[in-house]
Amino acid sequence: MILDNLPALLVVLPLLGAPLCLLLSRGRPAWVVATLIAWTVLAISIVLLWQVRAGGVLHYAFGDWEPPWGIDYVVDRLAAYVLLIVSAIGAVVLPYSWRSVSREIPARLHAIFYTLLLLCLAGLLGIVITGDAFNLFVLLEISSLSTYALISLGRNRRALTSSYQYLIMGTIGATFYIIGVGLLYMLTGTLNMADIAARIASMEGSSTLHTAFAFIVVGLALKLAMFPLHLWLPNAYAFAPSVVTAFLAATATKVALYAMIRFVYTVFGPAFTFGEMHVQLLVLPLAAAGVFIGSVVAAFQHGIKRMLAYSSVAQIGYMLLGIGAMSVTGLTAALLHLFNHALMKGALFLAVGALVYRIGGSRLHEIAGAARDMPWTMAAFVLGGLSLIGVPGTVGFISKWYLIQAALENGWWPVVVLVLVTSLVAVVYIWRVVETAYFAERPADAPPVSEAPLVLLLPTWVLVGANLYFGIATGLTVGLATDIAVGLYAGGVAP
């Protein structure tokens, strides 16, 4: 009985836990509840992935209203893959959060913080698992509204303006998406993704269908911070509390990319997307520009959070290059980088959060000489940075290798050069941090610091270890990503 309800419990548990945290009104009990729920959700995600690992599909119809009449939760390998990423990051971040939040957020807001974090987690998981286009919009708004509030909790006053900027941009993106869904509903009379896919298959040449596609893709592109629609991202990451930055950097844009993949490949289909709409002509130049400009701008930043934020713009560009390659290898590279970037950016931002906990800031001049007093924290940052660069033996190398393979299959030598050059630029900005932390002298008037507490180091090193493990033992990630890519190109319709 419980196994049959796992898809619903995945979203219902954090949704029920959120008001419970608010009712508890105290930080530590709310943290305990949120942590237990996060680990329960991770266990459910693992079970769901195990159930669909061979290519099966799980359906859960709410209220016994069979699709397309009711809301249908669908778990296939693609959904289970992303569910695992989101739930794993949540399970790692929650134990880390207590000490970090106690330093960066006033005690009176702790229960509210965990309420918002659970709502955000529920929204992200729901986006991944739902098979209803309008329900996806509802869950997108749940995650977005909680994200705006989480960002505003940052102790810097600019967190409020950053949150407001994200609210405006996010609302525009959600409006574009819901207009597209409305046009699809007008055209097909249904909101179920599988039903939409079946009905639009015979509507080739429909201008309404073309318009709906354009609105949905642009709306989701804004949510995933595709260049040049990324303007909300640098400030949001730079001024949010450290835990929020780590969680969002590793999950939010990945879920938005998942939503785009779901619509592009399973609702509209690759033949319509690339053959009729020629979306690659838009995605490829913008992705390449995002990779180059994001990398170069990151090299000139003096704040580590902002540096890594611009780096995320470049990494999103890598994923979009994989999609634009229009091949199984390219989509495999995009899916691999979706997983791998969550690990590397999660590890890097958790390490930065540990620096903020001890030093009080994360600008380059503030961390001068910090490696002498915080060797484990800085070692974690260095290994995460090596993964971001793409050094062999780390997850970053694996996804970039597949991206280069996809480019070579198409004869795109400029893309190969772009990947190699921007990886060298990543060496520059990661080295700036390493040089400052290891070789610069600590200011004479700076207060003494000590290593970050174990409760911060352990989650950070769990993600660092994952960067190394999945960079060597690639069977699970590469095999799963390849199977998903083959299935998406072979099927072309929603499960």
Side-chain angles (χ1 to χ4, degrees), residues 82 85 248-259 319 337-338 341-342:
V82 181
I85 296 169
L248 294 180
T251 59
T253 51
K254 315 303 176 297
V255 169
L257 182 69
Y258 160 84
M319 300 177 213
H337 208 56
L338 187 151
H341 184 247

Side-chain angles (χ1 to χ4, degrees), residues 184-276:
L184 282 180
Y185 183 67
M186 181 182 71
L187 195 63
T188 63
T190 182
L191 292 168
N192 182 272
M193 293 183 189
D195 209 29
I196 292 172
R199 296 190 185 199
I200 65 176
S202 60
M203 296 180 181
E204 184 177 349
S206 168
S207 59
T208 304
L209 183 60
H210 294 170
T211 306
F213 177 88
F215 270 99
I216 288 173
V217 168
V218 171
L220 293 176
L222 201 152
K223 286 290 186 179
L224 66 87
M226 172 181 169
F227 181 88
L229 305 175
H230 69 286
L231 299 179
W232 60 267
L233 187 144
N235 284 340
Y237 285 11
F239 299 112
S242 299
V243 171
V244 175
T245 303
F247 180 73
L248 294 180
T251 59
T253 51
K254 315 303 176 297
V255 169
L257 182 69
Y258 160 84
M260 180 175 284
I261 290 173
R262 179 63 77 190
F263 271 93
V264 164
Y265 286 94
T266 68
V267 176
F268 293 102
F272 175 84
T273 299
F274 301 116
E276 189 170 337

Side-chain angles (χ1 to χ4, degrees), residues 418-431:
L418 177 68
V419 173
L420 295 176
V421 169
T422 51
S423 296
L424 293 176
V425 176
V427 174
V428 174
Y429 58 78
I430 293 297
W431 174 251

Side-chain angles (χ1 to χ4, degrees), residues 113-133:
F113 170 83
Y114 291 110
T115 299
L116 293 170
L117 194 60
L118 283 181
L119 284 174
C120 186
L121 178 62
L124 294 174
L125 292 170
I127 291 169
V128 176
I129 201 173
T130 187
D132 184 279

Side-chain angles (χ1 to χ4, degrees), residues 313-398:
V313 175
Q315 305 301 314
I316 292 165
Y318 287 135
M319 300 177 213
L320 292 171
L321 283 175
I323 292 174
M326 301 174 293
S327 66
V328 169
T329 306
L331 184 56
T332 299
L335 292 170
L336 278 173
H337 208 56
L338 187 151
F339 182 92
N340 296 341
H341 184 247
L343 296 181
M344 64 179 78
K345 273 295 162 60
L348 285 166
F349 275 117
L350 290 185
V352 172
L355 289 171
V356 172
Y357 181 84
R358 283 303 190 201
I359 298 174
S362 60
R363 296 184 66 81
L364 287 176
H365 69 88
E366 294 174 313
I367 68 160
R372 299 182 187 91
D373 301 309
M374 304 180 69
W376 287 101
T377 299
M378 284 310 305
F381 185 92
V382 170
L383 291 173
L386 292 176
S387 187
L388 187 67
I389 293 165
V391 173
T394 65
V395 292
F397 172 78
I398 304 302

Side-chain angles (χ1 to χ4, degrees), residues 22-35:
L22 190 61
L23 290 172
L24 290 172
S25 73
R26 294 171 57 195
R28 187 174 287 274
W31 169 70
V32 171
V33 168
T35 303

